[in-house]
C-alpha cells in the first residue's frame, strides 16, 4: 500500500523587502536560499538548450534583481509622494504649502533655484514664493498665456514670450503646471540640476505626479487665504466703523471749526500712518487752508487761482499719476504740492459741491494709498464736513442773535431820541409819527422850544441803519439842542452842524435834514433844507386846486463837504397854512409790483383830505400813512416812515 504523501506545511509569503504603513519604510535585502551542490551525485547528462524552450537565458537572476530594484524604487517614490501629499494636505497655510511643494523636489533632484506662481486672474500670475532667488521677486505679476498647460522646458530662443524670457533670465528651465479640475492654479519653475544633467523622464513624471497631488492642497490654501483676506477686510471695516463712530462723537461735541479740522487731521494721520496733512475748508465761498500739520509753507496755499482749481476736483488727485488737465498750471501746482510734502488731494463734497479738500502726505510705510484707505479718508472727511457745516450754522445763529440784540438796543436809543408829545401853541397844531422798520433806520424828527416864542421843528434821515445810524442821530440831536439856543442865524448853525458831521463820520455817512424855526409871536417860519425831501407848504383854501409849494431853499447834505454854505428862507404864515414834512420812507414805499408810493400819491392824499374840510395835523398824517399801508398791501416795510405836520389857524379866524 503506497504511503500517504505527507502534507506540505503552509507556504510562507514571499517577502518584498518593503514595509508599508505609518512606520518609516524599510528596505530589506531579499533573502535567497543557498543552494548546496551534491558532488557525489552523478552528473546529469547535458541536454540541448532547445529541449527547454521555456527556460530563459542564463542572465535571468540579474534581470529579476533589476526589476525588483526598480519596483522598490517606484514604491519608495510612491511612498515619498504619499508622505508629501499628507504633509501638504495637513496644512491650510498657503505659504507653507508652496514652500513644501517647492523644496521637496529641489532637494530630491538637487536643484538650486525654483519658484511658484499662482494664478490671480485671467492670464495673470503672481510669484508667491522663491528659493535660491532674491525675495524681491515675490509679489511680481507676470502675464502668461498657456493654451494647454503642460510641462515646458524653457530655452533662450525667441518665441516663448516675455514671461518665458524673464524666467529663463532668472535661471529657471523647467515649468510644471499645477492643475485641478482642468483649471491651472499655478506653475512651478525649476532651475538646472546642480549635476548639470537634464531631467530624466522619471523625474518629470515625479514632478507631474507631485503637482497633481499638491493641486488640492494648493487650491484649499488659496481658498483659505482668500477667506482670511476677506475676514481681515471685514475686521478692518469694523475697526474703521468704530473709528468713525468714535471720531464722529468727538466731532459733534464742539462747534469750533478749528478744533473740528484739527481732529480730522489727527485722525487721518493716525489711521493712515501719514506725517503730513492739510485741510482746506470753505469759508465765505472760498477755500482756506484751515489746518496744516507738517506741510512745508507754500505760497500756493494762498493762490486764488489754485484754490479755485481745487473746487473743480471730483475725485482723488495723485500728483504723480492723475491727469485731470483742469488747468494749464496743473503740472506746476503738482510740483509745488509735492515739494510741500503732499502726495494726494481728496475732495470733500456736500450735495455734489466741493466744500473742502484734504492734502495728505506720504505714508510712513512708503507704500501707496489703497482704494479702501482713500474711501475711509473721504468718509471721515465728509463726516467732519457735516460738523463744520453745523458749526457754521451755529456761528450764524449766534451772530444773528447778536445783531438782533444790537438792533434792539439801537431801536431803544432811536425811540428815546424822539419827542413824546408835541408842544401846545396857540393857533398852531403840530403832530408827528415815526414808524420804524424791523431794522433800525435813521429817521429823526424833533420839536423843542428855543425861547418863549420860538420852537425848532426838524426832520432828518441818517444814511445807513443800525447802531451807527442811531449814534449819528444821537449826535445830531445833541448838536441841535446845543447850537439852536445861541443867537446865531439858522443858516450858520446848519453850516456848523455840517462841519461837525463831516469831521466825525466816514465818507459814506451823511444826513439829509430840514430845520425850521417857528416864531409863534410873529407867525413866521424860517428854514434851511440840507438835501432833504422838500416839505409841502400850502394853504387849505387853495391846495385842493394844486396850490403847493416846496420848501427847498438850503444847501448840500450834512457831512458831505466841509465849509458848505447854506441859505435860509422865512415864510409869513397865514391862517390855514400847512407844512408837511416827510422822509423818503413814505415816498419810496413799494407795493408788490416794486412801484414807489411817490410824491404824486402824497399830493393826492393831501388834496383829498383838504376837500373833506375836516382836518387836523393828526388826521392829515393818519390819512397819508393809511394810504401807504393800503398801497403796499402787506409788503415788508423797507424803510422808516416819518411825517411831521404843522397847521396854523388864527383863533379869531376860525
Amino acid at each position: 500500500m503506497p504511503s500517504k504523501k505527507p502534507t506540505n506545511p503552509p507556504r510562507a509569503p514571499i517577502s518584498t523587502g518593503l514595509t508599508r504603513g505609518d512606520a518609516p519604510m524599510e528596505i530589506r535585502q531579499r533573502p535567497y536560499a543557498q543552494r548546496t551542490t551534491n558532488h557525489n551525485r552523478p552528473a546529469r547528462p547535458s541536454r540541448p538548450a532547445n529541449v527547454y524552450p521555456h527556460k530563459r537565458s542564463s542572465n535571468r537572476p540579474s534581470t529579476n534583481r533589476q526589476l525588483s530594484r526598480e519596483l522598490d524604487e517606484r514604491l519608495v517614490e510612491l511612498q515619498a509622494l504619499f508622505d508629501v501629499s499628507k504633509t501638504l494636505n495637513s496644512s491650510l497655510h498657503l505659504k507653507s504649502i508652496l514652500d513644501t511643494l517647492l523644496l521637496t523636489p529641489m532637494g530630491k533632484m538637487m536643484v538650486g533655484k525654483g519658484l511658484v506662481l499662482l494664478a490671480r486672474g485671467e492670464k495673470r500670475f503672481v510669484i508667491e514664493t522663491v528659493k535660491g532667488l532674491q525675495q524681491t521677486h515675490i509679489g511680481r505679476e507676470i502675464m502668461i498665456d498657456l493654451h494647454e498647460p503642460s510641462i515646458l522646458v524653457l530655452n533662450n530662443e525667441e518665441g516663448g514670450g516675455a514671461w518665458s524670457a524673464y524666467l529663463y533670465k532668472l535661471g529657471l528651465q523647467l515649468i510644471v503646471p499645477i492643475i485641478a479640475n482642468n483649471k491651472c492654479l499655478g506653475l512651478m519653475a525649476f532651475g538646472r540640476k546642480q549635476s548639470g544633467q537634464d531631467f530624466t523622464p522619471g523625474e518629470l513624471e515625479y514632478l507631474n505626479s507631485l503637482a497633481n497631488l499638491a493641486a488640492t492642497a494648493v487650491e484649499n490654501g488659496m481658498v483659505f487665504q482668500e477667506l482670511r483676506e476677506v475676514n481681515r477686510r471685514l475686521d478692518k471695516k469694523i475697526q474703521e466703523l468704530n473709528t468713525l463712530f468714535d471720531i464722529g462723537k468727538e466731532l459733534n461735541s464742539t462747534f469750533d471749526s478749528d478744533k473740528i479740522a484739527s481732529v480730522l487731521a489727527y485722525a487721518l494721520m493716525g489711521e493712515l500712518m501719514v506725517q503730513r496733512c492739510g485741510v482746506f475748508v470753505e469759508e465765505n465761498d472760498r477755500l482756506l487752508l484751515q489746518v496744516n500739520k507738517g506741510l512745508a509753507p507754500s505760497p500756493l496755499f494762498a493762490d486764488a487761482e489754485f484754490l479755485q482749481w481745487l473746487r473743480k476736483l471730483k475725485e482723488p488727485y495723485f500728483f504723480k499719476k492723475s491727469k485731470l488737465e483742469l488747468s494749464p498750471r496743473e503740472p506746476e501746482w503738482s510740483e509745488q504740492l509735492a515739494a510741500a510734502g503732499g502726495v494726494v488731494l481728496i475732495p470733500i463734497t456736500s450735495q455734489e459741491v466741493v466744500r473742502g479738500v484734504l492734502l495728505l502726505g506720504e505714508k510712513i510705510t512708503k507704500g501707496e494709498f489703497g482704494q479702501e484707505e482713500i474711501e475711509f479718508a473721504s468718509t471721515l472727511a465728509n463726516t467732519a464736513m457735516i460738523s463744520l457745516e453745523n458749526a457754521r450754522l451755529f456761528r450764524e445763529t449766534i451772530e444773528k442773535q447778536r445783531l438782533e440784540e444790537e438792533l434792539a438796543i439801537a431801536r431803544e436809543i432811536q425811540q428815546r431820541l424822539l419827542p413824546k408829545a408835541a408842544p401846545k401853541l396857540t393857533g398852531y397844531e403840530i403832530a408827528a409819527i415815526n414808524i420804524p422798520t424791523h431794522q433800525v433806520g435813521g429817521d429823526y424828527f424833533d420839536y423843542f422850544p428855543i425861547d418863549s416864542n420860538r420852537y425848532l421843528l426838524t426832520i432828518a434821515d441818517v444814511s445807513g441803519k443800525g447802531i451807527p445810524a442811531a449814534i449819528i442821530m444821537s449826535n445830531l440831536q445833541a448838536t441841535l439842542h446845543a447850537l439852536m439856543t445861541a443867537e446865531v442865524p439858522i443858516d450858520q448853525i446848519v453850516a456848523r452842524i455840517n462841519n461837525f458831521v463831516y469831521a466825525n463820520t466816514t465818507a459814506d455817512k451823511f444826513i439829509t435834514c430840514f430845520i425850521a424855526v417857528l416864531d409863534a409871536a410873529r407867525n413866521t417860519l424860517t428854514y434851511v433844507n440840507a438835501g432833504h425831501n422838500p416839505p409841502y407848504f400850502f394853504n387849505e383854501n387853495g391846495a385842493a386846486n394844486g396850490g403847493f409849494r416846496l420848501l427847498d431853499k438850503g444847501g448840500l447834505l450834512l457831512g458831505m463837504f466841509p465849509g458848505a454854505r447854506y441859505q435860509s428862507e422865512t415864510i409869513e404864515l397865514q391862517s390855514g397854512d400847512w407844512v408837511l414834512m416827510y422822509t423818503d420812507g413814505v415816498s419810496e414805499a413799494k407795493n408788490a409790483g416794486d412801484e414807489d408810493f411817490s410824491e404824486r400819491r402824497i399830493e393826492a392824499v393831501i388834496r383829498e383830505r383838504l376837500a373833506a374840510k375836516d382836518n387836523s395835523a393828526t388826521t392829515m398824517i393818519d390819512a397819508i400813512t393809511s394810504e401807504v399801508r393800503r398801497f403796499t398791501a402787506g409788503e415788508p416795510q423797507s424803510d422808516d416812515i416819518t411825517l411831521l405836520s404843522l397847521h396854523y389857524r388864527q383863533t379869531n379866524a376860525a
Side-chain angles (χ1 to χ4, degrees), residues 537-548 576 578 603 606-607 610:
F537 174 69
F538 54 91
N539 189 276
E540 59 190 7
N541 296 322
N545 299 322
F548 288 108
W578 289 78
E603 295 170 6
I606 292 174
R607 293 191 185 93
L610 294 180

Side-chain angles (χ1 to χ4, degrees), residues 39-230:
H39 297 285
N40 298 323
R41 182 181 298 178
R44 292 181 179 179
S46 61
R47 297 179 180 177
N50 55 0
V51 175
Y52 304 100
H54 63 280
K55 191 171 183 180
R56 296 183 180 177
S57 62
S58 59
N59 59 351
R60 181 179 177 184
S62 62
T63 301
N64 289 336
R65 286 195 295 272
Q66 181 179 357
L67 290 176
S68 177
R69 185 168 53 253
E70 290 178 358
L71 178 61
D72 290 343
E73 290 175 354
R74 294 300 299 271
L75 290 174
V76 169
E77 289 180 356
L78 289 175
Q79 182 63 35
L81 286 173
F82 177 73
D83 293 340
V84 172
S85 177
K86 285 201 303 181
T87 303
L88 293 175
N89 287 286
S90 64
S91 173
L92 290 175
H93 190 268
L94 184 60
K95 183 68 167 55
S96 175
I97 294 173
L98 297 181
D99 286 343
T100 303
L101 178 61
L102 189 60
L103 286 173
T104 300
M106 288 179 66
K108 175 180 176 60
M109 292 179 285
M110 303 296 288
V111 177
K113 295 179 180 178
L115 59 80
V116 177
L117 304 102
L118 292 184
R120 297 297 185 182
E122 186 177 1
K123 301 180 183 179
R124 188 169 68 91
F125 289 77
V126 178
I127 299 177
E128 299 290 341
T129 186
V130 297
K131 301 298 176 186
L133 298 169
Q134 292 184 353
Q135 296 291 313
T136 53
H137 294 290
I138 295 178
R140 179 160 186 170
E141 293 184 3
I142 303 175
M143 300 303 294
I144 301 177
D145 187 7
L146 294 175
H147 299 289
E148 294 182 358
S150 60
I151 294 179
L152 298 174
V153 178
L154 303 179
N155 53 47
N156 59 353
E157 295 179 356
E158 296 182 357
W163 66 273
S164 63
Y166 170 73
L167 295 180
Y168 187 82
K169 188 176 180 181
L170 293 179
L172 303 173
Q173 184 185 29
L174 186 65
I175 303 298
V176 180
I178 305 171
I179 299 175
N181 299 324
N182 296 323
K183 178 183 178 183
C184 183
L185 301 178
L187 302 171
M188 293 189 295
F190 299 96
R192 286 182 173 276
K193 295 195 293 185
Q194 291 183 357
S195 62
Q197 297 176 347
D198 294 335
F199 291 92
T200 64
E203 290 171 334
L204 296 180
E205 184 179 356
Y206 167 77
L207 291 174
N208 192 44
S209 299
L210 178 63
N212 291 334
L213 289 173
T216 302
V218 172
E219 188 173 31
N220 292 338
M222 293 175 69
V223 172
F224 180 73
Q225 186 185 53
E226 185 177 353
L227 289 175
R228 189 167 58 181
E229 181 65 21
V230 170

Side-chain angles (χ1 to χ4, degrees), residues 584-598:
D584 57 5
V586 178
S587 58
E588 295 177 2
K590 296 183 181 301
N591 61 7
D594 200 31
E595 183 183 7
D596 288 349
F597 186 72
S598 76

